[in-house]
Amino acid sequence: MRSFKSSVLVFILHLLEGALGNSLIQLNNNGYEGIVFAIDPNVPEDETLIQKIKDMVTEASPYLFEATEKRFYFKNVAILIPTNWKTKPEYAKPKLETYKNADVVVTEPNPPDNDGPYTEQMGNCGEKGEKIYFTPDFLAGKKLLQYGPQGRAFVHEWAHLRWGVFNEYNSDQKFYLSNKQKKPVICSAGITGQNKVQQCQGGSCVTRSCKSDRVTGLYEKDCEFILDPDQTEKASIMYAQSIPSVVEFCKEKNHNKEAPNDQNRKCNLRSTWEVIQDSEDFKKTTPMTTQPPKPTFSLLQIGQRIVCLVLDKSGSMTIGDRLKRLNQAGKLFLLQTVEQGSWVGMVAFDSAAYVKSELVQINSAAERNTLTQRLPTAASGGTSICSGLRSAFTVISKRYPTDGAEIVLLTDGEDNTISSCFAEVRQSGSIIHTVALGPSAAQELEELSKMTGGLQTYASDQAENNGLIDAFGALSSGNGDVSQHSIQLESRGLTLQNNQWLNGTVVVDSTVGRDTLFLVTWTAAPPQILLWDPSGKKQDGFSVDTTNKMASLQVPGTAKVGIWKYSLQASSQTLTLTVTSRASSATVPPVTVTSKVNKDTGKFPSPMTVYAKIHQGTLPILRAEVTALIESENGKTVTLELLDNGAGADAIKGDGIYSRYFTAYDTNGRYSVKVWALGGLSTSTQKVKPQPHGAMYIRGWIENGEVKWNPPRPEVNEDDLQGKQVCFSRTSSGGSFVASNVPRAPIPDLFPPCKITDLKATVQGYHLINLTWTAPGDDYDHGRADKYIIAISRNILDLRDKFNDSLQVNTTDLIPKEANTEEVFVFKPEGIAFTNGTDLFIAIQAVDKTNLKSEISNIAQVSLFIPPEAPPEIPKPSVPCPDIQVNSTIPGIHIFKIMWKWLGELELSVPF
């Protein structure tokens, strides 16, 4: 255990800035340490699962070591055991490890039997993934025939997670044409196999060779490439790590650049190994000369939540009613956000620190109300953040170790001594969530969140944006039990004049409704508050706190499902409305929205990427209306529509992850991110597309010359994923980021159009090529590009490396559309031979009005296939049937068969 804890401290000291998540993984002397496995609380208790995880990692480590030319291995792993499993003496208390920052999640399959391992990837080529998912049955070895040994599959997923590479197979297109030949989508080309079809009818199945499709020239739809049993090829792990001979990643020399797979499409035809070589991991390591040690494991079990509020009450908190707003947000956290059973303490600070409450366990409304009365009510003095943190450590350590405890630190003031307690923060093992209030909060504040894996947020002085309440509302537990988490349904604000009304609706869907709270705040005088439930019944009983300028209504029991209507009336002041709830059932997962940005710091002119993940359990919610609000320190708010269209910033279409680039910088400093989501389509548990970033499902193997088929993997057509309409409303804090290098206004246009990533090409007739893609914008995926450059070549690498020298298509009549709309362009290749069997490669570059150019698009391929003429049909005779002569030297039955074949369907009566 000691070695594991010290390695976590090493991680803290060398934390990688800008990672997509709060992963604790650190590469130390070629060994990956700080890896966190988390077993979902819904997984039935099974101690053998822990050993299966250990076995998989132990098996994977030497395989990874050899595959990376002796550069990397797995050094240590922490396994988070659910709170609802039995406690054991060997289970230690976590330090910084939580379900939120887990790298690998073990969860039940959804739908049932969907046990394929996969990795959640939001970013582009070379960007780290989010999490790896395994199921208990996979870890137990029940899917060996479909995915191969668990350790090998883990290395496949690790490459997705750590280095941002993609699959080298294609479940949707298993064959392609090249030089008039039908080829399987494989990497490397040395992999051998047979093209087979399994046909089943009435309970019996037959295996036969694949037939060619006369229209496309490819094999028929159900054709499968079945791997030969005896392979000698060593690559590639990102194609099929389950092949015994495969022990390497594809390199430049053996990478199949023509194969239509995600690795080529997203990584500009680069091999997996080339992408790995470009990673920070590779650049800071050299091959080892000795064999690595076996991995070590720590077993951790999360207990009760321990959290201490550390709240700034310095003199600057009187500005803009900040102290009142602190009390409003603090009350939301204490009354609603923090979970039942948690231990909560409170410290206030100015030039010194003051204990407002020792740790108190939340068992009822009484403890919650008592804690709200301890919130600071007067502001004065200077700002000593370290005093507040040290006092919080003392409060916590009186009852529990500080390892794994959470501190919520809010401050609005500058403090140039904050770095003096960094070493104590690291040593404490506490997780620190930071809330920066206003433009003058200490610039080093975010470092506390980065070094401890906490959430960093920013709230401006614009009360109508409700940023402070959103920040506190986002601080739910990291214990993995989503049924206990507070879920924000609504967060709105508006400045009203002359008895104006703020009217709106909130949807309480069937997955939430327990502990529903309506919270109204104001800046001057109490407003008129009207609220009706879905049946039209007016709701009374708001508890009014005139001192802190807020009113709240706790809905008893479970709130009615449907549309709740509200009307708020006031004059010359700002009102906000916040609605929170919890899951209505412990067994049915609620619809959740989690949002984030791709990095903690944005350096102009590099864009930020905003993500919102909308799921119910592991099932994606499709076609939701998702809007992000990004607010700068200047008070300017930019609205972005986030999209799940597989273009621009969005990696995969239809995965329930909505994305968009942000380029509208207006100043240096902090920016807050908030997401609204409304309604969508819930996919049926029986109709879920296979995860795009996972190990290949092996359809069958050849044994003793015969195909041994695995059960078919359910494949769902895009049109079948209609699902059912789900009405819901959610808001989510996406944290904050800090922008730098933003020039003074007017800010120059340095943003090119984004790369086109979904270019597709088909042959139309025998002479035309039809192109489709999603339009980029003037600035990444915003606005409208000025023009397109389309180039074609017979050589795929010439097109990639010498795009400007390649043959260009006349695009005079091609006027770009608004970003994120579908483009269609049909052209006839000129200046290049396009005859039967010709392979052409096509790419696009978008250009904006200042002549900034996008990256070259993914390269699309077309192969002209002209079907051979069908043989002429033999006409049926129209003459009367001739007499049949029996040759005595030939058995009459033979003559009869010959004549029958010639006469077709005419009836014969032949005496023998």
Side-chain angles (χ1 to χ4, degrees):
M1 174 60 73
R2 179 177 299 175
S3 64
F4 178 77
K5 287 192 173 183
S6 64
S7 68
V8 173
L9 289 177
V10 171
F11 147 74
I12 295 171
L13 292 168
H14 300 282
L15 192 140
L16 295 175
E17 191 175 59
L20 277 178
N22 290 324
S23 172
L24 304 181
I25 296 172
Q26 176 62 30
L27 180 61
N28 185 21
N29 293 328
N30 297 88
Y32 288 109
E33 49 192 25
I35 305 166
V36 178
F37 276 66
I39 302 173
D40 189 271
N42 291 319
V43 172
E45 184 166 356
D46 180 5
E47 287 186 36
T48 64
L49 198 56
I50 298 171
Q51 187 59 47
K52 295 299 183 183
I53 293 172
K54 293 181 178 181
D55 292 344
M56 178 180 70
V57 177
T58 302
E59 175 191 336
S61 187
Y63 186 63
L64 174 70
F65 185 68
E66 296 300 328
T68 56
E69 298 181 350
K70 305 184 186 303
R71 284 182 180 270
F72 308 120
Y73 69 97
F74 297 123
K75 191 172 185 180
N76 61 50
V77 169
I79 302 175
L80 281 182
I81 297 162
T83 305
N84 55 353
W85 285 26
K86 292 192 296 285
T87 59
K88 289 195 167 187
E90 60 266 33
Y91 297 167
K93 188 179 183 340
K95 197 166 188 177
L96 304 182
E97 303 86 359
T98 68
Y99 281 82
K100 288 183 178 178
N101 62 28
D103 307 292
V104 184
V105 176
V106 180
T107 185
E108 289 293 293
N110 197 353
D113 299 323
N114 187 19
D115 290 283
Y118 69 95
T119 304
E120 186 177 273
Q121 284 181 273
M122 294 184 177
N124 295 315
C125 184
E127 295 183 7
K128 291 183 177 68
E130 295 293 296
K131 294 180 190 300
I132 297 171
Y133 291 87
F134 294 120
T135 69
D137 277 0
F138 171 82
L139 289 171
K142 296 180 180 179
K143 304 296 175 180
L144 287 174
L145 292 176
Q146 291 91 334
Y147 299 102
Q150 299 95 309
R152 285 171 165 250
F154 182 34
V155 172
H156 176 105
E157 301 309 326
W158 184 262
H160 285 304
L161 180 78
R162 189 65 188 177
W163 303 309
V165 299
F166 295 89
N167 287 326
E168 291 167 342
Y169 66 89
N170 188 337
S171 296
D172 298 323
Q173 182 184 344
K174 298 171 184 175
F175 299 90
Y176 66 103
L177 289 176
S178 177
N179 294 322
K180 300 183 181 181
Q181 300 295 315
K182 294 182 281 290
K183 294 185 177 181
V185 178
I186 56 177
C187 195
S188 70
I191 299 292
T192 62
Q194 301 178 27
N195 309 314
K196 298 292 183 180
V197 166
Q198 184 186 43
Q199 283 188 325
C200 298
Q201 186 174 5
S204 62
C205 299
V206 296
T207 299
R208 61 171 175 79
S209 297
C210 298
K211 298 177 182 177
S212 295
D213 186 305
R214 287 183 53 82
V215 176
T216 65
L218 293 170
Y219 288 118
E220 57 193 296
K221 177 180 178 296
D222 295 327
C223 183
E224 299 281 353
F225 182 68
I226 305 298
L227 297 167
D228 285 330
D230 299 320
Q231 304 279 348
T232 59
E233 189 63 31
K234 294 183 177 182
S236 170
I237 290 171
M238 298 314 292
Y239 171 68
Q241 79 294 327
S242 53
I243 299 174
S245 67
V246 168
V247 292
E248 297 177 355
F249 295 103
C250 259
K251 296 179 171 64
E252 184 177 12
K253 64 181 180 181
N254 60 3
H255 177 59
N256 184 358
K257 299 175 180 63
E258 289 188 0
N261 55 37
D262 277 350
Q263 177 65 22
N264 282 328
R265 183 170 68 88
K266 293 178 176 291
C267 295
N268 200 22
L269 309 182
R270 290 186 298 159
S271 67
T272 299
W273 189 244
E274 289 174 271
V275 176
I276 294 173
Q277 285 179 308
D278 284 342
S279 69
E280 290 300 317
D281 290 355
F282 194 93
K283 292 175 181 177
K284 65 182 183 182
T285 56
T286 56
M288 294 174 62
T289 56
T290 59
Q291 290 296 309
K294 289 184 177 181
T296 60
F297 299 90
S298 300
L299 305 183
L300 311 176
Q301 189 171 37
I302 291 178
Q304 295 163 321
R305 188 182 189 189
I306 301 160
V307 59
C308 187
L309 300 179
V310 179
L311 308 174
D312 190 345
K313 60 173 287 292
S314 61
S316 56
M317 288 293 289
T318 60
I319 299 172
D321 240 3
R322 289 176 184 169
L323 195 63
K324 288 283 192 297
R325 294 173 57 216
L326 161 61
N327 274 263
Q328 294 165 355
K331 276 197 165 186
L332 175 71
F333 178 80
L334 294 169
L335 293 175
Q336 185 72 5
T337 305
V338 68
E339 297 81 7
Q340 200 81 344
S342 302
W343 290 83
V344 180
M346 189 186 305
V347 170
F349 68 91
D350 45 39
S351 302
Y354 314 89
V355 176
K356 306 292 289 185
S357 175
E358 302 289 352
L359 288 181
V360 174
Q361 188 172 31
I362 306 291
N363 293 316
S364 67
E367 290 85 10
R368 295 180 185 273
N369 289 327
T370 298
L371 284 165
T372 62
Q373 295 169 12
R374 305 289 176 85
L375 291 164
T377 57
S380 63
T383 304
S384 177
I385 292 172
C386 285
S387 295
L389 292 174
R390 291 182 181 120
S391 184
F393 296 149
T394 301
V395 167
I396 295 167
S397 60
K398 285 180 181 179
R399 184 174 288 271
Y400 292 105
T402 54
D403 282 1
E406 297 172 75
I407 291 175
V408 179
L409 171 61
L410 177 144
T411 183
D412 75 336
E414 296 180 359
D415 182 358
N416 56 15
T417 66
I418 187 172
S419 60
S420 65
C421 58
F422 278 5
E424 295 167 72
V425 168
R426 297 185 187 108
Q427 192 62 40
S428 74
S430 297
I431 299 168
I432 300 182
H433 310 292
T434 56
V435 183
L437 177 57
S440 300
Q443 296 301 308
E444 302 89 349
L445 187 64
E446 281 79 7
E447 293 300 319
L448 292 168
S449 293
K450 291 177 184 177
M451 72 173 65
T452 64
L455 177 66
Q456 66 177 55
T457 56
Y458 161 69
S460 74
D461 285 324
Q462 303 295 319
E464 68 180 44
N465 288 332
N466 213 23
L468 197 53
I469 284 179
D470 291 338
F472 274 76
L475 295 171
S476 59
S477 169
N479 67 4
D481 188 357
V482 70
S483 69
Q484 298 301 315
H485 294 174
S486 177
I487 297 171
Q488 202 162 345
L489 308 185
E490 179 66 291
S491 173
R492 299 277 176 176
L494 190 65
T495 299
L496 303 178
Q497 305 292 340
N498 302 321
N499 289 320
Q500 286 180 307
W501 289 89
L502 170 57
N503 300 315
T505 60
V506 180
V507 179
V508 176
D509 60 278
S510 61
T511 69
V512 294
R514 186 168 54 89
D515 292 342
T516 302
L517 177 76
F518 287 79
L519 177 68
V520 178
T521 72
W522 56 87
T523 56
Q528 183 176 357
I529 303 173
L530 301 175
L531 176 67
W532 298 270
D533 71 12
S535 67
K537 182 180 178 181
K538 185 172 177 293
Q539 301 295 297
D540 297 315
F542 272 87
S543 174
V544 180
D545 179 354
T546 55
T547 301
N548 291 308
K549 302 178 181 178
M550 60 189 294
S552 61
L553 173 67
Q554 189 87 43
V555 179
T558 301
K560 287 184 178 180
V561 173
I563 298 175
W564 292 63
K565 297 180 181 179
Y566 61 84
S567 292
L568 312 177
Q569 186 185 39
S571 293
S572 302
Q573 63 170 323
T574 300
L575 305 183
T576 72
L577 173 73
T578 306
V579 184
T580 63
S581 189
R582 297 189 200 278
S584 58
S585 168
T587 57
V588 178
V591 173
T592 58
V593 177
T594 54
S595 52
K596 64 185 298 181
V597 288
N598 64 322
K599 49 192 174 183
D600 299 323
T601 56
K603 192 172 183 180
F604 183 90
S606 175
M608 299 294 294
T609 307
V610 183
Y611 300 106
K613 176 183 175 181
I614 309 179
H615 278 57
Q616 184 179 6
T618 58
L619 298 178
I621 300 294
L622 309 180
R623 303 182 193 175
E625 296 179 24
V626 187
T627 304
L629 284 78
I630 297 96
E631 182 190 7
S632 71
E633 284 189 358
N634 281 348
K636 177 183 175 183
T637 300
V638 174
T639 301
L640 292 180
E641 179 188 7
L642 305 188
L643 303 171
D644 186 14
N645 62 350
D650 192 61
I652 299 293
K653 181 179 180 181
D655 63 351
I657 298 173
Y658 299 73
S659 318
R660 200 73 181 273
Y661 287 114
F662 170 76
T663 59
Y665 297 96
D666 68 302
T667 185
N668 290 310
R670 296 181 174 98
Y671 289 69
S672 66
V673 180
K674 171 178 172 175
V675 167
W676 287 330
L678 294 173
L681 295 176
S682 174
T683 53
S684 164
T685 57
Q686 302 305 317
K687 293 183 177 181
V688 181
K689 293 177 66 177
Q691 291 290 341
H693 309 307
M696 182 169 67
Y697 184 93
I698 301 299
R699 186 64 179 86
W701 296 90
I702 298 176
E703 294 181 11
N704 300 321
E706 294 185 4
V707 178
K708 301 296 184 182
W709 295 93
N710 289 321
R713 184 175 185 174
E715 292 192 11
V716 179
N717 191 307
E718 190 77 26
D719 296 333
D720 294 334
L721 289 172
Q722 299 303 315
K724 63 178 181 178
Q725 187 70 36
V726 180
C727 292
F728 67 87
S729 60
R730 298 286 188 273
T731 64
S732 169
S733 170
S736 63
F737 64 91
V738 178
S740 62
N741 283 12
V742 180
R744 292 183 178 180
I747 295 175
D749 180 5
L750 299 180
F751 298 106
C754 65
K755 175 181 177 178
I756 296 166
T757 59
D758 61 349
L759 177 64
K760 296 178 182 177
T762 56
V763 176
Q764 186 172 311
Y766 297 147
H767 306 288
L768 302 177
I769 295 176
N770 183 295
L771 301 180
T772 61
W773 68 94
T774 301
D778 177 82
D779 296 339
Y780 284 88
D781 52 7
H782 303 275
R784 185 195 300 263
D786 186 60
K787 63 181 179 180
Y788 293 116
I789 301 171
I790 301 178
I792 59 177
S793 176
R794 296 284 299 274
N795 185 291
I796 192 170
L797 290 182
D798 283 351
L799 185 61
R800 182 190 70 173
D801 301 333
K802 303 174 184 177
F803 180 84
N804 293 332
D805 298 330
S806 299
L807 182 64
Q808 292 193 3
V809 176
N810 185 347
T811 58
T812 304
D813 298 329
L814 177 57
I815 308 300
K817 296 180 180 178
E818 193 71 18
N820 299 303
T821 55
E822 185 184 39
E823 297 273 27
V824 179
F825 182 63
V826 180
F827 70 97
K828 181 179 180 180
E830 296 180 352
I832 192 169
F834 193 48
T835 57
N836 193 20
T838 300
D839 300 325
L840 279 185
F841 301 95
I842 307 153
I844 303 182
Q845 190 174 48
V847 186
D848 72 5
K849 58 182 177 293
T850 60
N851 209 38
L852 292 173
K853 297 179 179 179
S854 72
E855 296 180 49
I856 307 301
S857 73
N858 67 291
I859 296 177
Q861 176 186 1
V862 290
S863 296
L864 181 58
F865 173 76
I866 301 176
E869 292 185 8
E873 295 184 5
I874 300 176
K876 294 180 181 180
S878 56
V879 297
C881 179
D883 293 335
I884 296 177
Q885 303 295 325
V886 178
N887 188 328
S888 61
T889 62
I890 302 176
I893 188 66
H894 289 178
I895 295 180
F896 176 77
K897 288 183 177 180
I898 295 169
M899 297 297 292
W900 176 266
K901 184 175 181 181
W902 176 71
L903 292 172
E905 297 178 354
L906 294 178
E907 295 184 1
L908 300 177
S909 178
V910 184
F912 288 97

